[in-house]
Amino acid sequence: NANVNITKEDDIQQVEQEVVATPIPERVPEKIVFLENRTQLAGEAVETFGVNSVIRYGMRYPKFDNTEMNILIEQKANELLANVQESYKEEGLEEADLPVIVVDYDSYQKEQLLSVTFFVKIELEGKESIQTVPMLYNMVDNTQITSEDLFRTSGFAFLKEKMLEQIKEKNLIYPN
């Protein structure tokens, strides 16, 4: 037995790792199927699964070589799952009767812009609904771009510039 000195920093780091880590069960809960025909052109897919007293879930979101961006995207995916879970409070159901929540995504990156569209599918009692949540991020300054950002005067100039670039790239006709 070697002497091991555990410092307060070690304890803090261990707690942070436990909080950040999402436990993955030994088996995928029954009926967890990700959406088909997703266009995941940017990032590497991260998948997590779980069962608790009120839902069964599968969640997939993109991960990049950019820690700050990963935190923003993972927080959004977890927020979407938590918001849906809040609406299901009935406990004591058999696992097969629990609602199934699937969070999936499409992703695309063009230069510094990253588009991640989340899809939140809810299956309950043979019925299914899907909510679409589009997100746009700036990969240079690691921020989310909101609709207010896009529709300011400078936002219109930016969109016009990008549209003109696409028109020129595709040799389309653009009226002067």
Side-chain angles (χ1 to χ4, degrees):
N1 289 348
N3 288 338
V4 178
N5 293 326
I6 298 177
T7 65
K8 189 169 186 138
E9 272 186 34
D10 291 332
D11 289 344
I12 291 170
Q13 191 174 27
Q14 177 67 29
V15 168
E16 287 174 349
Q17 288 173 352
E18 289 174 4
V19 169
V20 172
T22 304
I24 298 176
E26 293 177 14
R27 62 180 178 76
V28 175
E30 198 176 313
K31 285 184 70 178
I32 301 296
V33 178
F34 287 109
L35 283 70
E36 294 180 6
N37 302 319
R38 298 286 36 100
T39 306
Q40 298 169 342
L41 299 176
E44 179 182 326
V46 174
E47 296 180 354
T48 62
F49 302 92
V51 177
N52 59 37
S53 62
V54 293
I55 65 168
R56 292 175 284 162
Y57 70 89
M59 183 168 58
R60 184 163 56 180
Y61 55 89
K63 183 176 182 178
F64 299 88
D65 292 333
N66 179 329
T67 303
E68 290 178 49
M69 188 58 56
N70 291 338
I71 290 169
L72 282 174
I73 292 169
E74 183 178 2
Q75 283 175 340
K76 187 60 179 181
N78 282 315
E79 176 187 312
L80 292 170
L81 181 64
N83 288 343
V84 173
Q85 182 174 323
E86 279 296 310
S87 48
Y88 296 100
K89 298 284 187 184
E90 188 175 348
E91 293 197 23
L93 295 174
E94 294 295 320
E95 183 176 324
D97 297 327
L98 292 174
V100 175
I101 313 301
V102 175
V103 177
D104 209 347
Y105 72 97
D106 280 351
S107 62
Y108 176 78
Q109 184 174 353
K110 178 75 174 183
E111 299 170 6
Q112 78 271 14
L113 294 179
L114 170 66
S115 168
V116 177
T117 301
F118 286 102
F119 301 92
V120 181
K121 180 174 80 169
I122 303 167
E123 294 177 28
L124 179 61
E125 297 175 354
K127 296 179 182 163
E128 180 180 296
S129 69
I130 297 179
Q131 174 188 10
T132 304
V133 182
M135 306 297 294
L136 189 60
Y137 298 96
N138 182 327
M139 295 288 282
V140 174
D141 62 6
N142 301 315
T143 58
Q144 180 183 342
I145 299 171
T146 65
S147 56
E148 288 109 17
D149 296 331
L150 287 177
F151 293 110
R152 287 189 201 132
T153 305
S154 61
F156 283 118
F158 174 79
L159 289 174
K160 179 181 176 184
E161 176 186 326
K162 291 299 176 191
M163 286 174 40
L164 288 174
E165 284 176 16
Q166 290 294 312
I167 289 169
K168 288 176 186 174
E169 278 181 26
K170 296 180 186 332
N171 292 322
L172 301 173
I173 297 171
Y174 178 76
N176 290 332

